[in-house]
Amino acid sequence: MLPFIIRMISSSLSNFGFSIEEAAESLGASKLGTFFTIVLPNIKSGILAAVMIAFLESFNNVDISVYMTGPGVSTFPIQMLTYVENYFEPTISAISVLLMFITAFFMFIVERLMGLSYYTKR
Amino acid sequence: MALFTLQDISVAYNKQNILKDFTLEIEKGKLVSLLGPSGCGKTTTLRFIAGFLQANEGKFLFKEKDYTKVPVNKRNFGFVFQNYALFPHLSIFDNIAFGLRLRKNSKSEIEKKVMNVLEIVNLKGFEKRYPQELSGGQKQRVAIARALVIEPDILLFDEPLSNLDANLRENMRVEIRRIQQELGITTVYVSHDQEECFSISDQVAIMNKGVIEQLSDPATIYKYPETKFVADFIGFKNFIDFDKRTDHEGKIELNKSGYSFVLHKDAQMTNSTGKIGAIRPDDLLIREKDNTGAVQENSLSGRVKVSTYLGRSYQYVVETPIGDFTVNKEMAESYRTGQEIILEIPRNQMVLVD
């Protein structure tokens, strides 16, 4: 999960190069100011895409969720798991399809943000 | 009166010394170029002046004040990058206004200054556009505008025209010089292009391996290079390592392998010890070998070794008893490979260098 995020954001960062940071500094911006006014706005798309991927990863990782939650606390995937184990209704199938669409939608957004080239950049 | 002084600066990069005991004085209102091949230290010097690099030793003085430890963002120096470094998420107006907003200028002042500088770089009407919509030359002008608008104490250019095509480069360098002179702004300009530096500078510093080999106005360097490196860099392709140099009143006598040459002594020839003669290919003379046997001044008998057609002229490599020479001659006369000719070094065309 973590390496994913790092990779996506750093590809955004490398695209613009640090000369615009130097440009901002030469015009009078502090290092912190440069981060918020120059760097952040330009890696927004990378951050958003990374958030989505991280969410999907975490969402799918039911075993870790089960491990990390205690009694009384539950996540949606855990609920789904419990449902499948205990009930015999088609509702769960409908939910699965919905989740498929949501995943596809998220990936679509990531593709629009990062471009298809990201996936071929292994 | 020097506005800026670099005093005995040592700058190292990755444990390698790029500059050592480096000294440079920059006068107010002048455009000084740092010219030299890749790796000579010119960009390092420029970035040091800007504050992007720290020196291990030495001092950087601005108006007599010690600026060595002053951080980049407190220096008020304008820097123009080779790749323009425009902020992609801001409009042209906001790009240029960036420095002014940090200086807390009022909104009306910002408006006035930005529009004024846009006019200076001939980009009026472009305020609302974004960097991605602009051509290379336009982006470069925005970069210049952005650096100018903060009314910097010095303007620093890092190979600003290298990414532009040849035609544009010629037009832009004239623009840069025009703006610099109109505003009288002290400028340091880094480039590896000799023509570019020579055409716009008040002074040129030719650098090699972290050292300034010669610092002078373009005309002087062009006619009187002081070292072999400088001479070779600006087009003197022929070098003779003389054995002996004897200075007389108004002329210098040089000897090599039994041949002697006379060189006209000019008051501007400041190099009084150099024993290497340098001549440009265009300045050597070739004549048909006549069979009178009379020996003329500064002449050698030689043989054409190679003949190359360059379009407007021929280029010959001539073999002589004291070495090979490259000679350019206009198309009117041509000599065949293997032909025996006389090579003459006119007495006012050779320069002595170290």
Side-chain angles (χ1 to χ4, degrees), chain B residues 30-49:
Chain B
K30 299 269 184 244
L31 197 162
V32 175
S33 291
L34 304 178
L35 172 64
S38 281
C40 68
K42 54 192 193 295
T43 303
T44 306
T45 308
L46 193 77
R47 290 172 64 83
F48 168 74
I49 297 176

Side-chain angles (χ1 to χ4, degrees), chain A residues 19 22 25 27 29-30 37 42, chain B residues 47 73 83 87-89 103:
Chain A
S19 52
E22 289 186 336
E25 275 183 73
L27 293 166
S30 62
T37 56
N42 280 297
Chain B
R47 290 172 64 83
N73 54 340
N83 61 359
F87 307 129
H89 62 298
R103 284 159 177 73

